Amino acid sequence: MDAVQELLNSPDIELKVLEDKGKCLFSTVHFKKGDTIFEEVPLISCQFAWNKTYKYLACDHCMRPLESVDENIARLTADQVVEVPFLEYNSTVKADHRKCPNCEELYCSEVCLANAYKQYHQFLCYRNSEDEPFFQLVERWKLMYYPPETTNIMLLARIIATIQLAENKEYAYNTFMQFCHLSLSNDETLVHNLLGEKFRNDIDELFSIFKIAMESRLNGESNSYVKNLLTREGFIRMLSLIGRNGQGIGTSVLAEWANKLLSLEVSPSEKATIDKLIDDIYEKVDQHVGNFISNEGSGLYVVQSCINHSCAANAKITFPFNNNRLALVAKREIMPGEEIFINYLDKCARKRSCHSRRKILKDHYLFICMCSKCVVDSTEEPDVTSEDESEDEEMD
């Protein structure tokens, strides 16, 4: 709670702990549709492993895109677009980019390189080679966790590195552990749901590789907090933590460029030309990579994690700065004293029946949704999963 109160410095929102619901976030003022309720940077974030493997170039700290818009379009369309106009609206400043001198990891600026190095990178810095424990860890993770991704094993490594390097290790440890409030059996259930039942017997192997990688950096100098996390129980708790609380992050230099063009004040004919240009590019992108357009990763956010779910959410998470800094935006009018809700489900799942939505939430978050939409839908829909949804779940 201390970390929440410290970060909850806005007078416009209030944190309450209710006996039947736990942490809840309430508005103390009137928000109009489109208003920003608060902004927040994560405790820790990380690009997804496969996303990075496929050359989706992002700052290793804040996830800002590192490609120029023409480079990004060329890669996403397999060079189908010969020339990209309006490059004056490209937001990538390559002159600001910096590399770690040891591992050559890329950052968008000197500031991100310095912040990453101080918080965790000096502990985790490694070159890709087959005998490197962290390289082996990531490769094993990728064999267990194919796209679409929702988290990355290196988030766990960054949590431990952050605690190990922190001046106040107790505070750092407690900040992360505030996300852990389930029983170990529930944590195990969530981990199995995260990785899939076919990998149930592989979790111990993953833990073994993870522990070897971490101990290769610790050299016997770990503190009691890190030692607690390097047990099997601590490992399961951390996997459950990032699976249940990780907030997806997406950044795209193409989307930022397109939005700038769409906001230009131009004549109707020029607007029509711009609209066609953008539509044609996105069509070519869809032909080559489908929905996998953005740099994708996840992060742990203290205040955002206090917001409860509703299928009829009154707020949504956005990333207007094209990095890992999130903004919570009102989807409709929110009155003083009203609880703030977001939707935990992805766009596809939101369209499913009440029965299917509740099943997904029960499997991945261990609660039965009783939001206003589900209460209404449950009285109007049969309490079964539709045929199409059943087929989708079997494929999953």
Side-chain angles (χ1 to χ4, degrees):
M1 288 292 291
D2 290 342
V4 179
Q5 295 292 359
E6 185 175 310
L7 290 170
L8 197 64
N9 54 12
S10 170
D12 298 340
I13 49 179
E14 178 184 8
L15 176 69
K16 295 182 181 180
V17 181
L18 305 182
E19 186 175 346
D20 59 333
K21 297 176 65 176
K23 295 176 185 177
C24 309
L25 209 63
F26 287 82
S27 169
T28 61
V29 299
H30 174 213
F31 289 108
K32 301 190 295 278
K33 180 179 179 180
D35 283 351
T36 296
I37 300 170
F38 69 81
E39 296 173 6
E40 183 180 11
V41 295
L43 292 173
I44 207 81
S45 65
C46 190
Q47 187 178 2
F48 294 146
W50 278 109
N51 190 265
K52 186 173 183 177
T53 298
Y54 287 131
K55 306 300 182 184
Y56 285 72
L57 298 181
C59 173
D60 197 53
H61 187 64
C62 77
M63 284 194 58
R64 182 179 297 280
L66 297 178
E67 292 176 303
S68 62
V69 68
D70 51 326
E71 290 173 333
N72 185 246
I73 290 171
R75 179 173 58 80
L76 294 178
T77 65
D79 292 316
Q80 294 182 67
V81 179
V82 177
E83 184 177 353
V84 178
F86 301 106
L87 289 180
E88 63 270 29
Y89 298 105
N90 168 60
S91 61
T92 304
V93 184
K94 292 203 169 188
D96 292 341
H97 294 178
R98 296 291 182 271
K99 283 184 179 181
C100 169
N102 180 45
C103 68
E104 300 189 339
E105 190 63 73
L106 277 170
Y107 297 88
C108 68
S109 66
E110 189 70 41
V111 171
C112 271
L113 171 57
N115 288 341
Y117 187 83
K118 180 180 179 181
Q119 184 182 351
Y120 55 83
H121 187 70
Q122 61 179 290
F123 185 87
L124 301 174
C125 182
Y126 71 92
R127 288 181 175 271
N128 286 331
S129 63
E130 292 186 0
D131 58 349
E132 164 58 52
F134 281 109
F135 177 79
Q136 295 169 7
L137 175 65
V138 172
E139 291 305 301
R140 185 67 184 91
W141 173 259
K142 285 159 58 179
L143 290 175
M144 296 175 67
Y145 205 89
Y146 286 94
E149 301 168 270
T150 60
T151 193
N152 186 347
I153 191 69
M154 289 304 292
L155 268 178
L156 274 64
R158 291 188 179 187
I159 288 173
I160 288 183
T162 297
I163 296 170
Q164 180 69 12
L165 296 173
E167 292 184 9
N168 187 335
K169 292 175 173 51
E170 180 182 11
Y171 179 80
Y173 175 82
N174 290 333
T175 298
F176 286 111
M177 289 306 103
Q178 70 181 304
F179 294 97
C180 300
H181 52 81
L182 300 174
S183 67
L184 184 57
S185 62
N186 281 337
D187 283 330
E188 292 258 14
T189 297
L190 287 175
V191 170
H192 292 148
N193 289 335
L194 174 70
L195 298 178
E197 285 298 319
K198 63 182 178 180
F199 292 114
R200 175 186 288 269
N201 297 325
D202 294 345
I203 292 174
D204 286 333
E205 180 191 352
L206 185 66
F207 168 57
S208 177
I209 299 171
F210 178 80
K211 188 175 182 180
I212 290 170
M214 299 309 301
E215 290 179 342
S216 71
R217 295 296 192 275
L218 290 166
N219 294 321
E221 297 180 359
S222 61
N223 57 75
S224 59
Y225 304 107
V226 167
K227 286 179 180 177
N228 186 46
L229 295 178
L230 287 180
T231 62
R232 186 183 185 280
E233 179 178 334
F235 179 71
I236 293 296
R237 286 203 181 281
M238 285 194 295
L239 269 179
S240 172
L241 181 162
I242 64 172
R244 191 167 190 258
N245 297 283
Q247 167 63 50
I249 301 167
T251 64
S252 169
V253 68
L254 170 57
E256 189 174 37
W257 174 79
N259 288 333
K260 286 179 180 178
L261 296 191
L262 292 172
S263 66
L264 294 176
E265 294 184 5
V266 295
S267 67
S269 62
E270 289 173 312
K271 185 179 185 308
T273 299
I274 289 173
D275 288 345
K276 185 177 187 309
L277 167 68
I278 294 172
D279 287 345
D280 287 346
I281 289 173
Y282 272 104
E283 183 177 348
K284 289 180 171 64
V285 169
D286 185 62
Q287 291 171 1
H288 185 57
V289 297
N291 293 324
F292 296 98
I293 298 175
S294 303
N295 306 315
E296 296 182 342
S298 65
L300 293 175
Y301 296 82
V302 173
V303 180
Q304 176 269 344
S305 70
C306 299
I307 308 174
N308 286 318
H309 163 84
S310 172
C311 297
N314 54 14
K316 63 180 179 180
I317 300 294
T318 65
F319 292 91
F321 307 102
N322 214 21
N323 57 17
N324 63 9
R325 184 182 187 91
L326 69 73
L328 184 72
V329 176
K331 292 180 65 177
R332 59 167 176 78
E333 186 176 49
I334 301 175
M335 304 305 294
E338 186 176 351
E339 185 173 358
I340 297 169
F341 293 101
I342 57 176
N343 198 318
Y344 293 178
L345 300 171
D346 62 30
K347 290 182 179 180
C348 180
R350 292 173 196 178
K351 298 176 183 178
R352 292 188 168 195
S353 66
C354 171
H355 179 76
S356 291
R357 295 198 307 270
R358 282 179 166 174
K359 183 180 185 305
I360 294 168
L361 292 166
K362 182 70 167 63
D363 287 346
H364 295 278
Y365 299 97
L366 303 184
F367 70 85
I368 296 174
C369 185
M370 295 300 294
C371 72
S372 58
K373 178 174 174 58
C374 281
V375 170
V376 172
D377 288 352
S378 65
T379 63
E380 298 177 352
E381 298 175 356
D383 191 25
V384 293
T385 306
S386 72
E387 185 176 332
D388 288 343
E389 291 168 343
S390 295
E391 291 176 358
D392 290 343
E393 287 167 7
E394 288 175 6
M395 289 177 65
D396 294 341

